[in-house]
Every structure is written in C-alpha cells, then in structure tokens.
Amino acid sequence: MWPQWAFRNPPPQANAADLVPTGRRATAYGVFAGGVGAASLAGGVLVGALYSHPIPVLVTVVAAIQALALAPLFTTRLRRA
C-alpha cells in the first residue's frame, strides 16, 4: 500500500499548500489527512454493506459517489485559475 500512496499523495498535498496560507499548512495537511482517513473508512464500510447486493448496484453507487467528488475538484481548479 505504501508505494501506491506515495505516488498519489503529493498532488493533493500540493493543492492544499496552494489554497492555504503558509502559517496554516500544517493544520491543513492534518485536516486533509484526517478527511482522507475518514473517507477511506466510510468507503470501506459502504462497499462492505453493498457487497451482499447485486454487483450493478455496487458499481452504480460507487460511480455516483466518484462523480459527486468531481464537483469540489473542479471548483477548486476554477478558483485557482
């Protein structure tokens, strides 16, 4: 797991660094890491709960959540541009 996380982690941290003043970056990194951890736990619980349902239900729910996650991404990208 560490090699995969090491390659995916720097871009989100760079976004946090660009959005937060220098003196508050450590707090922003901590909040970001906490959010990633909470979302990972919630995602695992949700997928575990949906595992007993038909696969198309699981795929649809996960795809919908990923589509909803694009909104904040585009919002922050447009704000920075």
Side-chain angles (χ1 to χ4, degrees), residues 1-69:
M1 180 174 160
W2 275 108
Q4 181 185 17
W5 178 247
F7 289 115
R8 290 188 336 201
N9 197 19
Q13 282 186 348
N15 283 337
D18 289 344
L19 296 171
V20 178
T22 304
R24 302 211 34 147
R25 285 188 183 159
T27 302
Y29 289 152
V31 170
F32 175 78
V36 168
S40 296
L41 176 65
V45 169
L46 178 64
V47 169
L50 290 173
Y51 190 73
S52 63
H53 291 76
I55 296 295
V57 173
L58 174 65
V59 171
T60 302
V61 170
V62 170
I65 291 171
Q66 289 181 348
L68 289 172

